[in-house]
Amino acid sequence: MKRFRAGLWLSLPLLASCMSTHDRTAPSGTEWPALRSPSPRDAAMEARIAGIVAGMTLEQKIGQMTQAEIRYITPDEVRRYYIGSILNGGGSWPGMRKNAKVGDWTALSDSFARAAQATDMKVQIPLIWGTDAVHGHGNVAGATLFPHNIGLGAANDPALIERIGRATAKQVRATGISWVFAPTLAVVENRRWGRSYESYSSDPAIVARYGGAMVHGLQGGLTGDGDVVATAKHFMGDGGTFDGVDQGENRASLRDMIARHGAGYYPALQAGVQTVMISYNSWNDTAAGRDYGKMHGSREMITDVLKGKLGFDGLVVSDWNGIEQVPGCSKPHCAQAINAGIDMIMVPEDWKAFIANTVADVREGRIPMARIDDAVTRILRVKMRAGLFDRPVSASIYNGRADALDASALAREAVRKSAVLLKNDRGLPLRTGQRVLVVGASADSISNQSGGWSLTWQGTENSNRDFATGTTLLAALRQQLGADKVTYSVDGKGVDPSRFDAVVAVLGEAPYAEYHGDVRAPKPVQHSALYPADLAALQAVSGKGVPVVSVLYSGRPTYTNDLINLSDAFVAAFLPGTEGEGLADVLLGGRYDFTGRLSFTWPGSACSTSDGPGNTFQFPRGYGLGYTRHKRLGSLPSPTAPASCETAAR
Ligand code: GLC
């Protein structure tokens, strides 16, 4: 299939400019944009699909709507139950071996694909395997990991995003997989949220500029050897839950839901994204007294808005057991979610019960057959558009090629562009010939450098060796300055900083994903309170007459005035991924300057966790220094952190 009319996806800085080239219906504040699918309706394809659906039994249709997890299903069960899709969750590998090789992935993919082609159906339907390659192919040892989205937002470079999508798609096709659950289009409001780092920005305009770019990068022309099916997620409003509670309640007005949380979807849909994943959150427009309930059960949002007004004609997939959160539903049973418009149910473990329950729901009239036929039609449409009926996934020239996992040069460029220089009163750039002391546990941790969704779901329980590739910042500094010039002390104790020309203190959060990363109110969000060992290491080396350059790995903007005051220079590096050399490049200056600009505001107090009223900011969105953009910062106000934000001023 020819590439979706690339010109159609627009960099949509503001909703007001959010008009597809089809529809000159500029949405008003409380009207959803009127969009139409950019994919030309292929009459021959639709007729072929209708013919296949007409020849399917109810069990075969429901099987096609089922997505099971690879730990909980065998290839022979895929055959016997007519399963349409499988996924590997975070930290799920072939044979549950973290160091599984590319060949192990493709062998498993081939076994599932062959099974799907061996059913007793009149027409065999190819399986599709989905995975969370959200910053490169995170589950696969040896794959280059890119900066997480929060850093990419700071790069402010949509073309870079598209290139990263292209590289990620190749990594994924190397392993026999052809569906990626990305991009996340969340527009984060409260940085307490554990998934803040999966968002490009708190500015809907940046998310809008990136949404279409990542879809194009991942999908390309959809049928090429290096193309995968992309996913706009999580629809809708995942980044706007009250107090940043993951899977919580979004209380936005209709106007705000349309303009802010929908901003990334319009360009992604216009770029031809073929799947949309539903969000766990609920939506309760408290100001208007209108409670839409859980997104997984909202017919208004999924059918009327997404499929109707926004013209989406691909497939809608639920999130991991997301249907159980619909009132009255359970993991294996939710007629309401299917009637709301979900086409494929991600039911990792309880897929057998789901099939039995849903067959009964149809037979007993709780789900109309027309809804089932629509769901299967959409699934087959996506599979045909992706070329799965014409060529097996294994036919890709990238299939089984370990070299396709390597995107280190591009990732290193992305790291350079996503680091933000917050302070440089002295100390940067580092110079060759300098004797440098490096402190901080994160200096030698690819895990802390990469964050969640890295080999494991949480990004924890990994050693540097597990990554099989990548460079810590410590190793990169040794490479660029000379190993004999770099001394490492994890805590800065027992070493005399005055014997050195500069100190680099690498501070960082421990990895996390989803709700594990929530910092629940009323707990203050202050790095030194959450990671006291980092503060201790910095205190051990600060004020000794030698410039201290601090580098912070974090999945969110976090209150750091106390740390910044102990530092002569301070870099917000977010979660750069495996290529620490990109940070060394900008710390040493030379060819590379800092170009990153904050895509979130940076808090001015430990209880300022959103852009809302009453919060104070130390640095605005768009802030970022460089060697040619110098500004002395001096000392910042750093009041003692409150024990609780319940009473403290935000
Ligand atoms: C998770 C996430 C979603 C991911 C899915 C499959 O719970 O919410 O982003 O794609 O499960 O791993």
Side-chain angles (χ1 to χ4, degrees), residues 87 89-90 132 181 195 233-234 277 280 319-320 346 453 514:
L87 81 147
D132 290 284
F181 302 135
R195 305 191 76 165
K233 75 179 187 182
H234 309 81
M277 184 181 292
Y280 287 116
D319 201 337
W320 184 286
M346 188 187 295
W453 301 100
E514 302 194 52

PDB file of all heavy atoms in Angstrom, residues 87 89-90 132 181 195 233-234 277 280 319-320 346 453 514, ligand 1:
ATOM      1  N   LEU A  87       0.813 -10.857  22.333  1.00  0.00           N
ATOM      2  CA  LEU A  87       1.724  -9.781  22.721  1.00  0.00           C
ATOM      3  C   LEU A  87       2.757 -10.334  23.682  1.00  0.00           C
ATOM      4  O   LEU A  87       2.537 -11.403  24.279  1.00  0.00           O
ATOM      5  CB  LEU A  87       0.987  -8.621  23.399  1.00  0.00           C
ATOM      6  CG  LEU A  87       0.651  -8.784  24.898  1.00  0.00           C
ATOM      7  CD1 LEU A  87       0.711  -7.444  25.594  1.00  0.00           C
ATOM      8  CD2 LEU A  87      -0.675  -9.475  25.122  1.00  0.00           C
ATOM      9  N   GLY A  89       4.399  -8.860  27.090  1.00  0.00           N
ATOM     10  CA  GLY A  89       4.385  -7.729  28.011  1.00  0.00           C
ATOM     11  C   GLY A  89       5.817  -7.342  28.365  1.00  0.00           C
ATOM     12  O   GLY A  89       6.773  -8.019  27.973  1.00  0.00           O
ATOM     13  N   GLY A  90       5.984  -6.257  29.106  1.00  0.00           N
ATOM     14  CA  GLY A  90       7.312  -5.846  29.546  1.00  0.00           C
ATOM     15  C   GLY A  90       7.938  -6.967  30.368  1.00  0.00           C
ATOM     16  O   GLY A  90       7.303  -7.476  31.287  1.00  0.00           O
ATOM     17  N   ASP A 132       5.773  -3.520  23.289  1.00  0.00           N
ATOM     18  CA  ASP A 132       5.950  -2.133  23.709  1.00  0.00           C
ATOM     19  C   ASP A 132       7.349  -1.638  23.390  1.00  0.00           C
ATOM     20  O   ASP A 132       8.180  -1.503  24.285  1.00  0.00           O
ATOM     21  CB  ASP A 132       5.745  -2.025  25.232  1.00  0.00           C
ATOM     22  CG  ASP A 132       4.307  -2.235  25.610  1.00  0.00           C
ATOM     23  OD1 ASP A 132       3.507  -1.314  25.412  1.00  0.00           O
ATOM     24  OD2 ASP A 132       3.983  -3.356  26.068  1.00  0.00           O
ATOM     25  N   PHE A 181       3.204  -0.873  20.307  1.00  0.00           N
ATOM     26  CA  PHE A 181       2.236  -0.100  21.098  1.00  0.00           C
ATOM     27  C   PHE A 181       2.831   1.277  21.415  1.00  0.00           C
ATOM     28  O   PHE A 181       3.157   1.595  22.545  1.00  0.00           O
ATOM     29  CB  PHE A 181       1.913  -0.825  22.404  1.00  0.00           C
ATOM     30  CG  PHE A 181       1.360  -2.218  22.238  1.00  0.00           C
ATOM     31  CD1 PHE A 181       1.826  -3.264  23.005  1.00  0.00           C
ATOM     32  CD2 PHE A 181       0.365  -2.487  21.293  1.00  0.00           C
ATOM     33  CE1 PHE A 181       1.310  -4.556  22.875  1.00  0.00           C
ATOM     34  CE2 PHE A 181      -0.152  -3.773  21.153  1.00  0.00           C
ATOM     35  CZ  PHE A 181       0.324  -4.810  21.941  1.00  0.00           C
ATOM     36  N   ARG A 195       4.031   7.731  34.793  1.00  0.00           N
ATOM     37  CA  ARG A 195       4.284   7.582  33.353  1.00  0.00           C
ATOM     38  C   ARG A 195       4.604   8.932  32.703  1.00  0.00           C
ATOM     39  O   ARG A 195       4.565   9.052  31.476  1.00  0.00           O
ATOM     40  CB  ARG A 195       3.069   6.949  32.670  1.00  0.00           C
ATOM     41  CG  ARG A 195       2.650   5.632  33.291  1.00  0.00           C
ATOM     42  CD  ARG A 195       1.639   4.878  32.494  1.00  0.00           C
ATOM     43  NE  ARG A 195       2.251   4.231  31.324  1.00  0.00           N
ATOM     44  CZ  ARG A 195       1.637   3.265  30.621  1.00  0.00           C
ATOM     45  NH1 ARG A 195       0.409   2.880  30.940  1.00  0.00           N
ATOM     46  NH2 ARG A 195       2.236   2.718  29.567  1.00  0.00           N
ATOM     47  N   LYS A 233      -1.811   5.904  21.776  1.00  0.00           N
ATOM     48  CA  LYS A 233      -2.278   5.505  23.109  1.00  0.00           C
ATOM     49  C   LYS A 233      -1.962   6.591  24.121  1.00  0.00           C
ATOM     50  O   LYS A 233      -1.128   7.465  23.842  1.00  0.00           O
ATOM     51  CB  LYS A 233      -1.635   4.169  23.518  1.00  0.00           C
ATOM     52  CG  LYS A 233      -0.167   4.247  23.928  1.00  0.00           C
ATOM     53  CD  LYS A 233       0.358   2.856  24.335  1.00  0.00           C
ATOM     54  CE  LYS A 233       1.757   2.926  24.906  1.00  0.00           C
ATOM     55  NZ  LYS A 233       2.300   1.597  25.272  1.00  0.00           N
ATOM     56  N   HIS A 234      -2.682   6.567  25.268  1.00  0.00           N
ATOM     57  CA  HIS A 234      -3.832   5.743  25.634  1.00  0.00           C
ATOM     58  C   HIS A 234      -5.052   6.660  25.554  1.00  0.00           C
ATOM     59  O   HIS A 234      -5.089   7.697  26.240  1.00  0.00           O
ATOM     60  CB  HIS A 234      -3.673   5.201  27.041  1.00  0.00           C
ATOM     61  CG  HIS A 234      -2.363   4.540  27.294  1.00  0.00           C
ATOM     62  ND1 HIS A 234      -1.201   5.243  27.590  1.00  0.00           N
ATOM     63  CD2 HIS A 234      -1.977   3.240  27.262  1.00  0.00           C
ATOM     64  CE1 HIS A 234      -0.197   4.399  27.754  1.00  0.00           C
ATOM     65  NE2 HIS A 234      -0.647   3.175  27.573  1.00  0.00           N
ATOM     66  N   MET A 277      -5.077   2.379  21.325  1.00  0.00           N
ATOM     67  CA  MET A 277      -5.246   1.640  22.580  1.00  0.00           C
ATOM     68  C   MET A 277      -6.008   2.500  23.580  1.00  0.00           C
ATOM     69  O   MET A 277      -5.709   3.682  23.753  1.00  0.00           O
ATOM     70  CB  MET A 277      -3.876   1.267  23.178  1.00  0.00           C
ATOM     71  CG  MET A 277      -3.990   0.413  24.436  1.00  0.00           C
ATOM     72  SD  MET A 277      -2.402  -0.002  25.179  1.00  0.00           S
ATOM     73  CE  MET A 277      -1.698  -1.085  23.962  1.00  0.00           C
ATOM     74  N   TYR A 280      -6.777   3.392  30.648  1.00  0.00           N
ATOM     75  CA  TYR A 280      -7.379   2.913  31.906  1.00  0.00           C
ATOM     76  C   TYR A 280      -8.186   4.016  32.592  1.00  0.00           C
ATOM     77  O   TYR A 280      -9.090   3.729  33.369  1.00  0.00           O
ATOM     78  CB  TYR A 280      -6.275   2.522  32.889  1.00  0.00           C
ATOM     79  CG  TYR A 280      -5.522   1.247  32.606  1.00  0.00           C
ATOM     80  CD1 TYR A 280      -4.165   1.275  32.320  1.00  0.00           C
ATOM     81  CD2 TYR A 280      -6.144  -0.001  32.657  1.00  0.00           C
ATOM     82  CE1 TYR A 280      -3.446   0.113  32.098  1.00  0.00           C
ATOM     83  CE2 TYR A 280      -5.432  -1.179  32.432  1.00  0.00           C
ATOM     84  CZ  TYR A 280      -4.079  -1.100  32.158  1.00  0.00           C
ATOM     85  OH  TYR A 280      -3.358  -2.247  31.935  1.00  0.00           O
ATOM     86  N   ASP A 319      -6.419  -2.035  26.856  1.00  0.00           N
ATOM     87  CA  ASP A 319      -5.132  -2.144  27.522  1.00  0.00           C
ATOM     88  C   ASP A 319      -5.131  -3.454  28.325  1.00  0.00           C
ATOM     89  O   ASP A 319      -6.141  -4.141  28.452  1.00  0.00           O
ATOM     90  CB  ASP A 319      -4.900  -0.913  28.429  1.00  0.00           C
ATOM     91  CG  ASP A 319      -3.430  -0.711  28.736  1.00  0.00           C
ATOM     92  OD1 ASP A 319      -2.662  -1.697  28.642  1.00  0.00           O
ATOM     93  OD2 ASP A 319      -3.021   0.420  29.053  1.00  0.00           O
ATOM     94  N   TRP A 320      -4.011  -3.774  28.903  1.00  0.00           N
ATOM     95  CA  TRP A 320      -3.766  -5.028  29.649  1.00  0.00           C
ATOM     96  C   TRP A 320      -4.841  -5.230  30.728  1.00  0.00           C
ATOM     97  O   TRP A 320      -4.866  -4.523  31.728  1.00  0.00           O
ATOM     98  CB  TRP A 320      -2.385  -4.935  30.284  1.00  0.00           C
ATOM     99  CG  TRP A 320      -1.895  -6.142  31.011  1.00  0.00           C
ATOM    100  CD1 TRP A 320      -2.315  -6.593  32.243  1.00  0.00           C
ATOM    101  CD2 TRP A 320      -0.861  -7.055  30.589  1.00  0.00           C
ATOM    102  NE1 TRP A 320      -1.615  -7.713  32.595  1.00  0.00           N
ATOM    103  CE2 TRP A 320      -0.715  -8.022  31.603  1.00  0.00           C
ATOM    104  CE3 TRP A 320      -0.053  -7.170  29.457  1.00  0.00           C
ATOM    105  CZ2 TRP A 320       0.204  -9.072  31.517  1.00  0.00           C
ATOM    106  CZ3 TRP A 320       0.875  -8.203  29.382  1.00  0.00           C
ATOM    107  CH2 TRP A 320       0.981  -9.143  30.391  1.00  0.00           C
ATOM    108  N   MET A 346      -7.163  -7.186  24.928  1.00  0.00           N
ATOM    109  CA  MET A 346      -5.885  -7.645  25.471  1.00  0.00           C
ATOM    110  C   MET A 346      -6.182  -8.355  26.797  1.00  0.00           C
ATOM    111  O   MET A 346      -6.377  -7.725  27.825  1.00  0.00           O
ATOM    112  CB  MET A 346      -4.930  -6.463  25.702  1.00  0.00           C
ATOM    113  CG  MET A 346      -3.518  -6.859  26.072  1.00  0.00           C
ATOM    114  SD  MET A 346      -2.466  -5.466  26.531  1.00  0.00           S
ATOM    115  CE  MET A 346      -2.359  -4.558  25.003  1.00  0.00           C
ATOM    116  N   TRP A 453      10.565  -0.026  31.195  1.00  0.00           N
ATOM    117  CA  TRP A 453      10.419  -0.614  29.864  1.00  0.00           C
ATOM    118  C   TRP A 453      11.790  -0.892  29.249  1.00  0.00           C
ATOM    119  O   TRP A 453      12.004  -0.683  28.046  1.00  0.00           O
ATOM    120  CB  TRP A 453       9.593   0.282  28.943  1.00  0.00           C
ATOM    121  CG  TRP A 453       8.211   0.567  29.442  1.00  0.00           C
ATOM    122  CD1 TRP A 453       7.784   1.689  30.081  1.00  0.00           C
ATOM    123  CD2 TRP A 453       7.064  -0.308  29.375  1.00  0.00           C
ATOM    124  NE1 TRP A 453       6.450   1.579  30.410  1.00  0.00           N
ATOM    125  CE2 TRP A 453       5.985   0.366  29.993  1.00  0.00           C
ATOM    126  CE3 TRP A 453       6.837  -1.586  28.855  1.00  0.00           C
ATOM    127  CZ2 TRP A 453       4.700  -0.187  30.104  1.00  0.00           C
ATOM    128  CZ3 TRP A 453       5.557  -2.148  28.969  1.00  0.00           C
ATOM    129  CH2 TRP A 453       4.508  -1.443  29.578  1.00  0.00           C
ATOM    130  N   GLU A 514       4.681   2.786  35.006  1.00  0.00           N
ATOM    131  CA  GLU A 514       3.266   2.872  35.360  1.00  0.00           C
ATOM    132  C   GLU A 514       3.069   3.299  36.815  1.00  0.00           C
ATOM    133  O   GLU A 514       3.817   4.143  37.318  1.00  0.00           O
ATOM    134  CB  GLU A 514       2.587   1.548  35.022  1.00  0.00           C
ATOM    135  CG  GLU A 514       2.750   1.197  33.523  1.00  0.00           C
ATOM    136  CD  GLU A 514       1.840   0.098  33.060  1.00  0.00           C
ATOM    137  OE1 GLU A 514       0.623   0.193  33.299  1.00  0.00           O
ATOM    138  OE2 GLU A 514       2.326  -0.845  32.429  1.00  0.00           O
TER     139      GLU A 514
HETATM  140  C1  GLC B   1       0.447  -1.777  30.015  1.00  0.00           C
HETATM  141  C2  GLC B   1       0.390  -0.356  29.512  1.00  0.00           C
HETATM  142  C3  GLC B   1       0.341  -0.220  28.016  1.00  0.00           C
HETATM  143  C4  GLC B   1       1.065  -1.373  27.360  1.00  0.00           C
HETATM  144  C5  GLC B   1       0.324  -2.654  27.707  1.00  0.00           C
HETATM  145  C6  GLC B   1       1.018  -3.888  27.131  1.00  0.00           C
HETATM  146  O1  GLC B   1      -0.331  -1.929  31.158  1.00  0.00           O
HETATM  147  O2  GLC B   1      -0.640   0.472  30.061  1.00  0.00           O
HETATM  148  O3  GLC B   1       0.941   1.039  27.691  1.00  0.00           O
HETATM  149  O4  GLC B   1       1.086  -1.190  25.956  1.00  0.00           O
HETATM  150  O5  GLC B   1       0.177  -2.825  29.106  1.00  0.00           O
HETATM  151  O6  GLC B   1       2.269  -4.075  27.740  1.00  0.00           O
END
